[in-house]
């Protein structure tokens, strides 16, 4: 039997220890790493890990950004996001970052095992409503060609697209699972790179280019 090597990343020690204990009882599954933060995950997760159970909200940052960084380093890595609530925006952002699906923290042992094994074998685990939104967002993201404002990073283009769509900082923060401060920083960088004086001018430029 091929062993599925798992890393558990969660900043709540009771949940993390409980998940590790559960996984340790399952045949063919071995917990090889634990982390309580994005920084610890970056150090603990190696190419030997098959699946990461990733808390969507970590004390030192976003599980979404941690996922993006890990998948960039290890393209074969499978990430299963763990969330308290079935928040569409957060789950969609996770999928866009490279996660293979999500698991609600209230899931029972059988659901945990099924989701983990499915993700390990390359399946995408999403509810129907979330899957529909994820596909829509991913299609929209593919439409943001690099030649549209090439001076911007991919993340900055995503933020600009949402700004052009009329979303405020708080909504963009939820949509991309970023802190409001990070969104404001991205917005400031966008204004500087585009050479425009304010958000309104950036919206005009973005809409002229087909964003929003």
């Amino acid at each position: 039997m091929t062993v599925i090597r798992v890393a558990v990343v969660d900043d709540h020690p009771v949940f993390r220890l409980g998940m590790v204990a559960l996984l340790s009882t399952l045949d063919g599954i071995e917990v090889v790493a634990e982390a309580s933060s994005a920084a610890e995950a970056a150090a603990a997760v190696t190419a030997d890990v098959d699946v990461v159970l990733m808390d969507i909200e970590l004390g030192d940052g976003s599980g979404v950004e941690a996922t993006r960084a890990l998948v960039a380093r290890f393209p074969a890595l499978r990430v299963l996001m763990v969330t308290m609530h079935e928040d569409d925006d957060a789950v969609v952002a996770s999928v866009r970052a490279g996660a293979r699906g999500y698991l609600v923290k209230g899931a029972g042992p059988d659901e945990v095992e099924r989701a983990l094994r499915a993700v390990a074998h390359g399946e995408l685990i999403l509810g129907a409503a979330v899957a529909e939104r994820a596909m829509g967002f991913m299609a929209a993201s593919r439409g943001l060609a690099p030649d549209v404002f090439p001076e911007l990073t991919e993340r900055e283009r995503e933020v600009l697209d949402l700004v052009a769509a009329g979303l405020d900082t708080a909504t963009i923060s939820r949509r991309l699972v970023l802190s409001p401060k990070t969104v404001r920083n991205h917005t400031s960088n966008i204004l500087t790179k585009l050479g425009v004086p304010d958000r309104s001018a950036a919206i005009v430029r973005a809409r002229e280019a087909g964003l929003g």
Side-chain angles (χ1 to χ4, degrees):
M1 176 186 295
T2 301
V3 174
I4 300 171
R5 294 158 299 188
V6 180
V8 179
V9 181
D10 197 291
D11 63 348
H12 294 87
V14 173
F15 179 85
R16 187 176 69 254
L17 292 173
M19 181 61 74
V20 169
L22 168 63
L23 297 179
S24 299
T25 68
L26 303 178
D27 291 338
I29 294 176
E30 179 185 0
V31 177
V32 296
E34 295 180 48
S36 62
S37 67
E40 287 184 11
V45 176
T46 67
D48 292 330
V49 174
D50 299 309
V51 179
V52 175
L53 287 181
M54 175 73 75
D55 189 3
I56 210 163
E57 294 180 357
L58 299 170
D60 66 339
S62 163
V64 176
E65 291 303 313
T67 295
R68 191 187 307 278
L70 287 174
V71 172
R73 284 171 58 199
F74 309 114
L77 184 67
R78 312 292 189 183
V79 179
L80 183 62
M81 303 303 294
V82 182
T83 174
M84 286 293 292
H85 307 288
E86 195 172 325
D87 181 336
D88 286 4
D89 286 342
V91 174
V92 168
S94 301
V95 174
R96 296 175 76 190
R100 302 296 299 178
Y102 70 93
L103 183 69
V104 178
K105 283 195 172 182
D110 289 345
E111 293 175 272
V112 172
E113 181 176 7
R114 280 197 302 271
L116 182 57
R117 293 191 190 280
V119 165
H121 288 94
E123 296 180 33
L124 187 65
I125 305 299
L126 295 173
V130 173
E132 183 177 349
R133 290 198 61 208
M135 293 304 293
F137 277 120
M138 291 171 76
S141 180
R142 286 194 296 270
L144 301 182
D147 57 353
V148 176
F149 302 120
E151 64 270 46
L152 303 182
T153 65
E154 180 181 355
R155 174 62 87 192
E156 288 166 351
R157 280 195 297 273
E158 288 180 334
V159 171
L160 179 58
D161 187 45
L162 296 177
V163 168
L167 303 186
D168 60 18
T169 296
T171 304
I172 295 172
S173 172
R174 290 193 299 272
R175 180 71 56 86
L176 298 180
V177 195
L178 297 171
S179 71
K181 180 180 178 181
T182 298
V183 173
R184 286 193 293 271
N185 287 341
H186 281 312
T187 303
S188 177
N189 290 339
I190 290 166
L191 299 184
T192 298
K193 290 182 179 181
L194 296 186
V196 294
D198 53 34
R199 193 182 180 103
S200 297
I203 290 174
V204 171
R205 285 281 306 278
R207 289 180 177 173
E208 287 175 347
L211 300 186

